[in-house]
Amino acid sequence: MVEQSNLNGIKGMFDFHCVSKKANLPGLQLADLVARPIGVHYLHPEQHNRAWEMLLPKMRTSHDGKLEGYGLKIYPQFDPTE
């Protein structure tokens, strides 16, 4: 099943495909290297996270510097403090 996402009003820009970890694709390895520090930062914001600090300046922000909703989108939405 192929789902489509919408980025900045451009329909069909990305197609979503699930791939087995056995494929060992470089793109998936890069995604894992980026996703882990983001997840740790989101779940444990008080924990020191050098990888997050390195990713933060590379992420897209709004004109007023807001990260969430621009360069960082968390799905599904939940509050980790609950």
Side-chain angles (χ1 to χ4, degrees):
M1 179 172 138
V2 175
E3 302 274 340
Q4 291 187 345
S5 63
N6 186 2
L7 180 66
N8 289 338
I10 303 172
K11 293 194 179 293
M13 185 172 176
F14 297 104
D15 291 331
F16 178 78
H17 298 279
C18 289
V19 179
S20 170
K21 291 292 264 184
K22 295 176 188 174
N24 201 20
L25 298 172
L28 291 178
Q29 292 175 356
L30 180 61
D32 287 343
L33 286 172
V34 171
R36 173 77 178 167
I38 292 171
V40 169
H41 171 75
Y42 187 73
L43 295 173
H44 307 287
E46 73 286 345
Q47 181 177 332
H48 182 69
N49 187 341
R50 283 183 48 205
W52 167 257
E53 293 168 8
M54 292 176 70
L55 288 173
L56 192 55
K58 295 171 177 38
M59 297 176 79
R60 182 177 175 197
T61 59
S62 68
H63 294 293
D64 60 348
K66 182 179 175 190
L67 176 66
E68 211 162 302
Y70 291 87
L72 180 64
K73 295 183 181 184
I74 307 292
Y75 298 102
Q77 293 290 329
F78 71 97
D79 185 359
T81 59
E82 293 180 354

